[in-house]
Amino acid sequence: MSRANKNRRGIADLPSAVLQIPIVCSLIGLWYGLTETDILPKFFFGEPFKVFGVLWHWFTSGEIFPHLGVTLVETVLAFVVGAVLGLVIGLWLALNPTASRLADPYIKAANAMPRVVLAPIFAVWFGLGIWSKVALGVTLVFFIVFFNVYQGIREVSPVLLANARVLGANARQLLRTVYLPSATSWVFSSLHTSVGMAFVGAVVGEYLGSARGVGYLILQAEGVFDINTVFAGMLVLTAFALVLDQAVGVVEKRLLVWRPTHGETEKL
Amino acid sequence: MNTQTSAAAVAVAGVAAAVPGLALENVTCTFRAAAGKGGYTAVKDVNLTVGAGEFVSVVGPTGCGKSTLLNVSAGLLEPSSGTVKVFGEPLVGMNRHAGYMFQAESLMPWRTALDNVIVGLEFRGVARNEAVARGQDWLQRVGLGSHGHRYPHQMSGGMRKRAALAQTLIMDPKIILMDEPFSALDIQTRQLMENELLDIWSADRKSVLFITHDLEEAISLSDRVIVLSAGPGTHPIGEFAIDLPRPRDVSEVRLTPEFVRLHDEIWHTMKEEVLKGYVQSQQK
Ligand SMILES: Nc1ncnc2c1ncn2[C@@H]1O[C@H](COP(=O)(O)OP(=O)(O)OP(=O)(O)O)[C@@H](O)[C@H]1O
Ligand SMILES: [Mg+2]
């Protein structure tokens, strides 16, 4: 495409950052303009420079880091516990047609239930510490991983299984060398979604009642109608989610080297 | 069965062996139809033996049931009726003496070529460094010496086939089942691999049941060629002893008048069935 109309350098040929930065700046400008002139009330929409002030204070004083740390720990724990449970139960049900037939309606029902309503129950069961947030994240992550693994195991190539059996694999070796790698590859293919869900679980959990974490900061600020801090918290969460997603991308690339990707040739 | 050469004569001509390595006796396979009643009888009343140390090829039209027969021989598929005997013993469950090279892709995509080749040794509990050494040796023999680190998707179709061959042969099976193993290779590589296979086979005479579409390949490799009828209800319709002298070079043997005569004779039997098979596969 770009080669065909080389001499007609269009807007599409510019590096995307060149376009994206002005867009962000003008949006902030618009926000600033509308709130300064009181077209939008400052009380509800905040002021961009005060929001940046809050961010500046959080990061220079280091006040934000313990909260970020707590949110990160909750996210990681929710992901790990949810993924392991989803993997084990997904494998078990996929390899046990009877069990799977019995469990099917319950799993569908549990997945259909809006998980947020569980948050108050988890708060009662696990207290206001990190575990109630982890539990909420787990309920979100579990189903994504579970369904992926279940489907993945059902679709393992029969030739691959037959080949392993001819080569002398017993049931345990079959599980270890065929089913498990196949299942984990499905876990990793849903990595972005499930890590995102773990994060959502952590933040929503914090927001609904906690003593620490970024969600807690937002909750606190909202309580005293400090809209600028709420916005600052939202920005931190967004940036954090992006960083998390990048990290997942790196991990994914390392773990799935055996996956065919198209266009792997190197440019000269 | 109008066999051109009786099985007894072949046994005398071939390796002196009382008990065949593999024997299918009156094997019938009926696949259950997807919807309700009926079913498809792919193979019917097949009697087939592979003597100990004998190289037998099976040719037949597409879809006639060649892979089905191999699956039965490997113990992956239980015949609807009939028995399979392995060195005289009736087969129950998997055939522990057999190595099977599948027609479809069978390498594990998450393992490198080397790790795929040694997976059978791993199942057997061979120590890792010994397995790796033997795996390297086998990769060398199939011409993949420097490609051990590649994943299946980084190899060509032919390279994957060769890795699969090494994966099967490293286990040193007494019976080798091969389902069109070389059809993905170009003619030169193919002849190299065929010669390599003959070398390996003649070194310690295994029983080989070899399936191919290619009549020339069947004749140049085998002691005996079996022709199957078109399906449904496939059964052998011809059996030909190939008494070309060994050791053979697969590319040279094709030029001998004896080869040409055998080829004509077998092709004459096959021709009709191939046409029937083609018509049937179109109707299905
Ligand atoms: N699991 C199955 N269920 C139903 N029908 C089957 C099944 N497997 C094979 N068949 C049928 O049995 C017949 C024989 O199949 P098979 O794979 O043995 O053929 P083949 O001789 O190996 O063919 P090709 O040379 O094309 O590989 C085919 O008509 C096929 O449709
Ligand atoms: Mg086949």
Side-chain angles (χ1 to χ4, degrees):
Chain A
M1 264 292 276
S2 64
R3 189 176 287 182
N5 37 22
K6 208 172 200 166
N7 26 19
R8 266 185 42 227
R9 306 215 93 195
I11 200 165
D13 287 334
L14 293 168
S16 27
V18 174
L19 295 165
Q20 282 160 349
I21 290 168
I23 291 176
V24 169
C25 290
S26 44
L27 281 178
I28 293 170
L30 189 68
W31 179 14
Y32 180 73
L34 289 175
T35 47
E36 262 325 279
T37 52
D38 275 326
I39 296 173
L40 292 177
K42 283 179 188 146
F43 183 74
F44 293 121
F45 291 91
E47 290 158 87
F49 287 103
K50 289 201 176 149
V51 171
F52 295 136
V54 174
L55 286 175
W56 179 258
H57 169 74
W58 276 350
F59 283 93
T60 49
S61 68
E63 214 173 273
I64 189 79
F65 294 117
H67 295 289
L68 264 180
V70 167
T71 306
L72 179 66
V73 166
E74 288 162 357
T75 305
V76 170
L77 281 174
F79 170 74
V80 171
V81 175
V84 169
L85 281 180
L87 184 64
V88 170
I89 296 181
L91 262 173
W92 182 59
L93 287 189
L95 297 176
N96 269 291
T98 327
S100 126
R101 212 151 28 86
L102 290 178
D104 186 60
Y106 303 106
I107 295 210
K108 287 215 176 94
N111 186 40
M113 178 175 60
R115 253 55 59 72
V116 180
V117 300
L118 293 175
I121 300 178
F122 288 148
V124 174
W125 288 352
F126 302 110
L128 290 182
I130 66 168
W131 292 108
S132 54
K133 287 85 202 167
V134 172
L136 187 61
V138 165
T139 61
L140 295 170
V141 172
F142 171 81
F143 287 97
I144 299 170
V145 173
F146 171 82
F147 285 115
N148 266 294
V149 166
Y150 188 79
Q151 193 64 20
I153 291 298
R154 284 299 178 88
E155 281 164 20
V156 168
S157 147
V159 180
L160 225 58
L161 287 171
N163 192 32
R165 286 174 58 203
V166 168
L167 289 169
N170 58 30
R172 242 190 50 231
Q173 289 166 328
L174 215 55
L175 185 71
R176 194 172 55 78
T177 57
V178 182
Y179 286 119
L180 207 56
S182 186
T184 23
S185 86
W186 282 88
V187 174
F188 289 127
S189 70
S190 58
L191 208 57
H192 285 279
T193 335
S194 43
V195 170
M197 278 299 174
F199 184 61
V200 168
V203 173
V204 170
E206 284 168 2
Y207 182 74
L208 292 177
S210 60
R212 273 216 234 150
V214 182
Y216 165 77
L217 287 181
I218 295 180
L219 180 64
Q220 287 294 302
E222 211 180 77
V224 294
F225 297 105
D226 178 1
I227 203 73
N228 291 322
T229 308
V230 173
F231 274 117
M234 277 163 49
L235 285 177
V236 169
L237 285 180
T238 310
F240 188 70
L242 284 176
V243 170
L244 210 59
D245 201 59
Q246 289 287 319
V248 168
V250 172
V251 172
E252 195 178 27
K253 221 170 167 182
R254 291 294 281 297
L255 290 173
L256 292 181
V257 274
W258 58 268
R259 268 284 171 94
T261 52
H262 24 242
E264 252 183 334
T265 53
E266 253 172 84
K267 284 264 168 7
L268 288 175
Chain B
M1 227 177 19
N2 59 335
T3 47
Q4 262 77 356
T5 314
S6 77
V10 169
V12 174
V15 185
V19 193
L22 181 72
L24 305 190
E25 292 172 1
N26 297 314
V27 166
T28 300
C29 290
T30 304
F31 290 107
R32 209 174 296 141
K37 58 184 188 294
Y40 179 81
T41 303
V43 296
K44 193 165 166 41
D45 292 330
V46 172
N47 285 290
L48 190 157
T49 58
V50 184
E54 194 185 17
F55 198 124
V56 175
S57 287
V58 173
V59 289
T62 178
C64 73
K66 302 184 295 296
S67 300
T68 305
L69 286 179
L70 278 203
N71 288 338
V72 168
S73 309
L76 288 167
L77 184 70
E78 209 181 326
S80 312
S81 66
T83 46
V84 181
K85 285 188 177 156
V86 180
F87 293 105
E89 300 283 319
L91 176 63
V92 191
M94 296 294 296
N95 186 345
R96 285 277 148 249
H97 293 293
Y100 187 174
M101 202 178 148
F102 290 82
Q103 183 174 15
E105 295 279 340
S106 60
L107 296 180
M108 299 177 188
W110 46 83
R111 282 180 170 241
T112 60
L114 178 66
D115 282 333
N116 262 296
V117 169
I118 64 173
V119 73
L121 297 180
E122 206 179 298
F123 293 150
R124 234 179 235 177
V126 175
R128 170 90 189 163
N129 34 8
E130 194 204 325
V132 167
R134 280 164 67 183
Q136 281 296 356
D137 182 47
W138 269 104
L139 283 172
Q140 213 84 44
R141 288 174 82 165
V142 296
L144 292 175
S146 56
H147 300 292
H149 63 281
R150 289 192 193 230
Y151 288 95
H153 80 274
Q154 298 168 320
M155 299 194 279
S156 72
M159 288 161 83
R160 288 199 286 268
K161 278 285 170 203
R162 283 182 275 158
L165 179 67
Q167 186 187 51
T168 302
L169 294 184
I170 199 172
M171 302 301 286
D172 198 24
K174 286 191 191 145
I175 302 169
I176 306 177
L177 309 169
M178 302 178 99
D179 199 346
E180 303 184 28
F182 303 140
S183 44
L185 305 180
D186 64 273
I187 193 79
Q188 284 83 12
T189 317
R190 186 173 182 159
Q191 293 187 345
L192 280 176
M193 298 307 298
E194 286 167 2
N195 279 331
E196 178 73 21
L197 177 64
L198 281 185
D199 276 353
I200 293 163
W201 171 75
S202 55
D204 53 354
R205 294 278 165 143
K206 312 192 178 280
S207 303
V208 181
L209 185 55
F210 189 96
I211 283 175
T212 175
H213 273 133
D214 182 350
L215 185 51
E216 294 196 11
E217 182 176 48
I219 300 172
S220 56
L221 292 174
S222 320
D223 293 322
R224 198 148 49 94
V225 174
I226 294 173
V227 180
L228 294 181
S229 71
T234 298
H235 55 96
I237 50 166
E239 217 174 300
F240 302 84
I242 310 295
D243 39 17
L244 299 169
R246 294 193 189 266
R248 299 177 193 162
D249 180 287
V250 289
S251 54
E252 282 166 18
V253 79
R254 284 169 206 222
L255 307 173
T256 61
E258 181 60 12
F259 183 95
V260 177
R261 190 189 62 73
L262 280 164
H263 188 277
D264 279 351
E265 191 184 336
I266 303 175
W267 177 240
H268 185 74
T269 314
M270 261 180 87
K271 201 163 49 187
E272 268 173 59
E273 296 301 322
V274 170
L275 287 175
K276 261 194 246 166
Y278 181 65
V279 171
Q280 264 157 16
S281 70
Q282 275 187 324
Q283 282 166 351
K284 263 210 273 185

